[in-house]
């Protein structure tokens, strides 16, 4: 799994193009303030482990990034362009959903961008130490 995190003053998305036939209605555009944007690529090798172990590893990393940036909310965004290997759609979505549940259970405001859509993005990301974090988990 690869993760690229941005601290953002403001992050917004507008659903643009559906790229998975089975994707549900994406809803309307949304904006988030003072949050982390976690761009996540779940890889084929992650499927050798179970969803629980992968989401636990991801959530631990995200909690660390939240503490380092003194942030209270995070948006999970499927970004399958951080490497060549991609896990199946079902496995990836399961990891995202499980991570969101675990984060919410820890009283962390957590959202996901619409899965299965290309999105128009607006990111206002200031430049300071740890405002951008890349990791391979």
């Amino acid at each position: 799994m690869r993760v690229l995190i941005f601290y953002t003053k403001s992050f917004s998305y507008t659903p643009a193009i559906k790229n998975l036939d089975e994707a549900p209605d994406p809803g309307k555009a949304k904006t988030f303030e003072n949050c982390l944007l976690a761009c996540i690529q779940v890889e084929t090798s992650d499927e050798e482990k179970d969803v629980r172990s992968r989401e636990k590893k991801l959530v631990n990393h995200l909690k660390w990034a939240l503490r380092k940036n003194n942030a209270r909310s995070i948006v999970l965004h499927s970004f399958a362009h951080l490497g060549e290997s991609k896990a199946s759609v079902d496995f990836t979505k399961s990891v995202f959903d499980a991570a969101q549940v675990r984060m919410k259970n820890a009283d962390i405001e957590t959202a996901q961008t619409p899965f299965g859509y290309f999105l128009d993005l607006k990111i206002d990301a200031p430049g300071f130490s740890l405002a951008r974090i890349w990791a391979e988990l």
Side-chain angles (χ1 to χ4, degrees):
M1 184 175 338
R2 296 171 191 236
V3 183
L4 177 61
I5 298 172
F6 294 90
Y7 171 79
T8 67
K9 289 181 186 177
S10 177
F11 165 68
S12 61
Y13 69 81
T14 302
I17 300 169
K18 185 176 189 174
N19 67 339
L20 287 177
D21 290 337
E22 65 274 9
D25 182 329
K28 298 183 184 216
K30 288 193 178 171
T31 299
F32 303 87
E33 304 293 330
N34 298 314
C35 71
L36 294 187
L37 169 63
C39 300
I40 304 162
Q41 177 173 337
V42 182
E43 299 177 292
T44 304
S45 60
D46 292 312
E47 292 186 275
E48 296 169 5
K49 301 173 179 140
D50 62 2
V51 168
R52 182 167 157 52
S53 72
R54 297 291 52 207
E55 68 77 15
K56 185 176 181 183
K57 183 86 169 173
L58 174 61
V59 167
N60 286 341
H61 181 68
L62 298 177
K63 286 180 176 179
W64 173 84
L66 284 161
R67 284 191 306 273
K68 291 296 182 182
N69 283 283
N70 198 26
R72 296 288 312 138
S73 63
I74 191 160
V75 178
L76 309 177
H77 175 62
S78 179
F79 192 79
H81 305 287
L82 294 173
E84 294 178 18
S85 171
K86 296 172 185 69
S88 70
V89 170
D90 290 340
F91 188 84
T92 299
K93 184 64 172 138
S94 294
V95 170
F96 273 61
D97 291 346
Q100 183 173 12
V101 167
R102 185 182 289 259
M103 298 287 280
K104 285 185 173 186
N105 287 342
D107 292 324
I108 298 167
E109 185 180 327
T110 308
Q112 291 185 50
T113 59
F115 196 84
Y117 288 83
F118 291 115
L119 309 170
D120 293 334
L121 305 176
K122 289 185 183 177
I123 303 171
D124 180 0
F128 58 84
S129 180
L130 295 178
R132 291 157 184 78
I133 302 167
W134 182 86
E136 190 168 355
L137 306 176

